[in-house]
Amino acid sequence: MADSSTSPASPPPLASSASTAAEVSGQLESVLSDTSIPLARRWCRASVIEMKLLVYLAAPAVMVYMINYLMSMSTQIFSGHLGNLELAAASLGNTGIQIFAYGLMLGMGSAVETLCGQAFGAHKYEMLGIYLQRSAVLLTATGVPLAVIYVFSRQLLVLLGQSPEIANAASIFVYGLIPQIFAYAVNFPIQKFMQAQSIVAPSAYISGATLLLHLLLSWLAVYKLGLGLLGASLVLSFSWWIIVVAQFVYIAHSSRCRYTWNGFTWQAFSGLSEFFRLSVASAVMLCLETWYFQILVLIAGLLDNPQLALDSLSVCMTLSGWVFMISVGFNAAASVRVSNELGAGNPKAAAFSVVVVTSMSFAICVVIAIVIICLRDYISYIFTEGEAVSRAVSDLTPLLAITLILNGVQPVLSGVAVGCGWQAFVAYVNVGCYYIVGVPCGVLFGFKFNLGAKGIWGGMIGGTIMQTIILLWVTIRTDWNKEVEEAKKRLNKWEDKKQPLLS
């Protein structure tokens, strides 16, 4: 592997899409730096350029995350139409257990997002494949203890105070999700590897085709073969593995990855301790976010009528999660744009990208929140036919709308943090806002003031508002020239020399 002295000064002839993104990105910095153009006209031109990049990046990324989430959502819908107990079990299994693994794996995979994005922006293409493999090795090893947790999920849920009947049904659902853990371990590094190169459309096509197959297989497993909860979750795991295999085949054979994927290498096993530390910082940051509303579901299971609380929250959290995937798509776009621009030494373009992507995500989520409010009396019937659940969901819809609007900003700012490599700082912010403020307030309102699920959710929204304000303040005050220098230092530290990834 070449060291920094032999790295190309300019990018090799990449595939047209990535090359176009790089050219437009360089044009953005030039426009923002051209003081001969009036400020208003400069911003107008820059907005058009940035919008082109975001449509190219964010639209397929949003499709990927929404389609992947729809697979889990459809599994929950199939389970819900078996009965209210099955809906509560699938909700607890998905939101109470599966999200635990999802958050950890996605968080650890974000280390690849930072390093691959900045390396690609700096034209150090040979490093991307090694980062991908190192991350996959670490995440697969992490999946082993997670699988053990899944095996003992029933005992764990009962220990946390859940109803034994619901916990037993949820554990059956969770057993079928064990293969999904290891699909996550490979999928997230592959996904971040491709996103860093602005290769997002193939993942969208693969996910879309897999969703259609998933719906067919779920229908067969649940309704025709009568496999119930276990069959539904096994099909979900199988569908994730289809996505993983298809994406890897694309990487191995596509000309667009010929400079970034050079096959398997033993270098993937060197420098793992350094990579692990960065991965842990990323994991802590994102886990504290993804687990936050998982805790809401677990706490709701301790209320007087846990099945109704879980069913109503399940509907709201599933809708929130589905809309959240839009923001996660913008999160990915923000991370790629910021990391690429910092790696390329374009501070003005990085800062401007943050403004545009946050504004777009916020506007879309506001519109969706308004639609949800208008349909508040009907949305629960997608998941279950119970009228009691419908009334409970309608009562929770205002809180759902507030959450959706906050999700239009907060995940994008987290993407900016990943692009800059601020994971450790954001982890501290999340601990304070979510677990020192949000969760205690939720418990206080829900149990002490007898506000039930509304009180728990309302208190936890307070923690989200506090976290969003802090991230906004930090982002606004960021010195982007300094961030460019930090990116250079990080790449110099992590670039392969005599001993790969050792500082």
Side-chain angles (χ1 to χ4, degrees):
M1 190 66 65
D3 62 22
S4 58
S5 64
T6 61
S7 297
S10 60
L14 299 174
S16 59
S17 56
S19 179
T20 300
E23 291 172 3
V24 177
S25 173
Q27 183 185 358
L28 176 61
E29 183 73 13
S30 299
V31 169
L32 291 169
S33 302
D34 189 355
T35 55
S36 65
I37 304 174
L39 182 62
R41 187 180 301 174
R42 199 187 320 163
W43 276 49
C44 184
R45 289 184 184 178
S47 296
V48 172
I49 295 170
E50 183 63 30
M51 291 284 283
K52 289 180 181 178
L53 282 168
L54 285 178
V55 169
Y56 173 74
L57 283 171
V62 167
M63 286 183 61
V64 169
Y65 286 107
M66 289 187 72
I67 290 170
N68 290 347
Y69 188 81
L70 276 172
M71 289 199 303
S72 295
M73 184 176 173
S74 64
T75 298
Q76 199 160 314
I77 291 172
F78 277 112
S79 301
H81 284 284
L82 292 173
N84 285 345
L85 173 63
E86 286 79 3
L87 175 61
S91 170
L92 196 57
N94 251 334
T95 312
I97 299 293
Q98 181 260 355
I99 289 295
F100 177 83
Y102 183 91
L104 183 62
M105 293 296 188
L106 179 61
M108 292 186 71
S110 293
V112 180
E113 195 167 1
T114 301
L115 294 172
C116 282
Q118 293 184 0
F120 188 78
H123 306 154
K124 298 180 179 180
Y125 304 111
E126 69 279 0
M127 293 303 303
L128 274 72
I130 297 175
Y131 292 150
L132 161 62
Q133 293 175 66
R134 285 196 175 115
S135 182
V137 169
L138 282 176
L139 267 64
T140 299
T142 304
V144 174
L146 286 177
V148 174
I149 293 174
Y150 275 39
V151 169
F152 293 99
S153 58
R154 184 182 66 82
Q155 294 88 335
L156 179 62
L157 290 171
V158 171
L159 184 64
L160 292 172
Q162 303 301 314
S163 159
E165 183 183 19
I166 297 176
N168 185 61
S171 66
I172 294 173
F173 183 84
V174 168
Y175 294 154
L177 296 179
I178 291 176
Q180 186 189 48
I181 298 173
F182 299 98
Y184 285 163
V186 184
N187 176 74
F188 290 131
I190 288 177
Q191 206 171 63
K192 303 307 181 184
F193 168 86
M194 295 174 70
Q195 286 174 358
Q197 303 170 69
S198 301
I199 302 173
V200 282
S203 293
Y205 298 141
I206 291 168
S207 296
T210 304
L211 174 62
L212 296 177
L213 179 62
H214 172 76
L215 293 173
L216 174 62
L217 293 177
S218 295
W219 176 75
L220 287 172
V222 175
Y223 296 128
K224 294 301 179 181
L225 299 179
L227 299 178
L229 288 172
L230 181 62
S233 57
L234 282 172
V235 168
L236 182 59
S237 294
F238 179 70
S239 298
W240 271 94
W241 271 108
I242 292 175
I243 291 174
V244 169
V245 172
Q247 288 184 135
F248 180 75
V249 169
Y250 177 85
I251 289 173
H253 296 283
S254 173
S255 61
R256 299 174 69 181
C257 300
R258 64 186 181 274
Y259 295 104
T260 54
W261 176 259
N262 297 314
F264 294 102
T265 172
W266 287 109
Q267 291 177 333
F269 296 92
S270 64
L272 286 176
S273 59
E274 292 278 344
F275 203 94
F276 178 72
R277 283 194 284 272
L278 181 61
S279 296
V280 166
S282 300
V284 170
M285 184 195 88
L286 288 181
C287 284
L288 293 175
E289 293 181 10
T290 56
W291 295 346
Y292 188 46
F293 285 99
Q294 172 191 7
I295 291 174
L296 166 61
V297 174
L298 292 174
I299 294 175
L302 304 177
L303 294 171
D304 292 336
N305 188 350
Q307 185 167 316
L308 179 61
L310 284 172
D311 284 348
S312 58
L313 280 173
S314 165
V315 173
C316 291
M317 288 295 101
T318 301
L319 289 169
S320 175
W322 185 66
V323 177
F324 183 72
M325 292 302 106
I326 297 175
S327 298
V328 171
F330 280 102
N331 167 295
S335 177
V336 170
R337 291 288 299 115
V338 170
S339 61
N340 283 178
E341 297 293 1
L342 293 179
N346 298 330
K348 293 184 176 65
F352 190 78
S353 178
V354 172
V355 175
V356 175
V357 70
T358 305
S359 301
M360 286 184 63
S361 177
F362 176 75
I364 291 172
C365 287
V366 167
V367 172
I368 294 174
I370 293 172
V371 172
I372 292 290
I373 286 288
C374 293
L375 299 176
R376 61 188 297 178
D377 295 325
Y378 310 102
I379 53 178
S380 70
Y381 292 111
I382 300 172
F383 301 87
T384 182
E385 299 172 0
E387 292 186 8
V389 175
S390 176
R391 289 192 296 270
V393 169
S394 179
D395 199 36
L396 291 172
T397 301
L399 294 175
L400 173 60
I402 295 172
T403 300
L404 295 182
I405 292 171
L406 288 172
N407 284 347
V409 177
Q410 184 270 333
V412 178
L413 297 179
S414 293
V416 174
V418 170
C420 294
W422 299 341
Q423 288 95 324
F425 165 75
V426 178
Y428 289 117
V429 173
N430 289 351
V431 168
C433 296
Y434 288 163
Y435 299 94
I436 296 178
V437 176
V439 172
C441 286
V443 172
L444 181 66
F445 294 151
F447 294 93
K448 180 67 175 178
F449 294 101
N450 297 317
L451 296 177
K454 290 178 67 176
I456 297 171
W457 197 351
M460 295 176 73
I461 283 175
T464 305
I465 292 173
M466 179 180 293
Q467 188 247 24
T468 302
I469 291 172
I470 292 174
L471 290 184
L472 270 173
W473 177 250
V474 170
T475 303
I476 290 170
R477 292 176 57 86
T478 296
D479 182 344
W480 293 99
N481 289 302
K482 181 179 178 182
E483 291 302 322
V484 167
E485 295 303 316
E486 290 297 322
K488 290 179 181 177
K489 292 178 184 177
R490 188 177 294 112
L491 287 172
N492 289 334
K493 175 181 178 180
W494 290 87
E495 184 182 8
D496 273 11
K497 294 185 181 179
K498 292 182 180 179
Q499 294 180 329
L501 289 190
L502 294 178
S503 57

